[in-house]
Amino acid sequence: MAYQDELEQHQRLCILRTLNDQTGYRANESFIWNVLDRYGLTCSRDALRTQLAWLAEQRLVTTELLGSTTIASITQRGQDVAKGLATNPGVKRPSAGA
């Protein structure tokens, strides 16, 4: 697997786990971007928006635009993928017990 593909799969899992851990199961793109950076999964804001759009196409998250900021909310399927109860091609599967 190419490095970029592996990185994107990890970013998508991190996004899902971040949303799953939030009260209300939602967060804005700025917060998500900071979390990705903290875990060494840094990307541009444009790349983050692309990941959020991809996750929305997979029905793992929903997004809404508030001014110029994207707000993402995790779906039930997204929660299942974040917890490792379901898989989705293109999203890294979490390690056992993680």
Side-chain angles (χ1 to χ4, degrees), residues 27-45:
N28 67 45
E29 67 185 67
S30 182
F31 180 80
I32 296 167
W33 186 81
N34 286 333
V35 172
L36 288 173
D37 186 54
R38 185 176 334 131
Y39 284 102
L41 299 170
T42 306
C43 62
S44 68
R45 294 291 177 119

Side-chain angles (χ1 to χ4, degrees), residues 75-95:
T75 64
Q76 182 62 56
R77 175 147 174 78
Q79 287 181 314
D80 290 346
V81 172
K83 294 175 184 176
L85 301 174
T87 60
N88 194 91
V91 179
K92 179 79 175 161
R93 186 163 186 208
S95 300

Side-chain angles (χ1 to χ4, degrees), residues 21-64:
D21 288 345
Q22 300 312 301
T23 302
Y25 303 105
R26 58 191 304 213
N28 67 45
E29 67 185 67
S30 182
F31 180 80
I32 296 167
W33 186 81
N34 286 333
V35 172
L36 288 173
D37 186 54
R38 185 176 334 131
Y39 284 102
L41 299 170
T42 306
C43 62
S44 68
R45 294 291 177 119
D46 185 58
L48 173 57
R49 288 183 194 113
T50 299
Q51 294 298 348
L52 291 173
W54 186 91
L55 290 166
E57 286 178 2
Q58 303 298 307
R59 296 192 170 129
L60 302 175
V61 303
T62 59
T63 60
E64 62 182 285

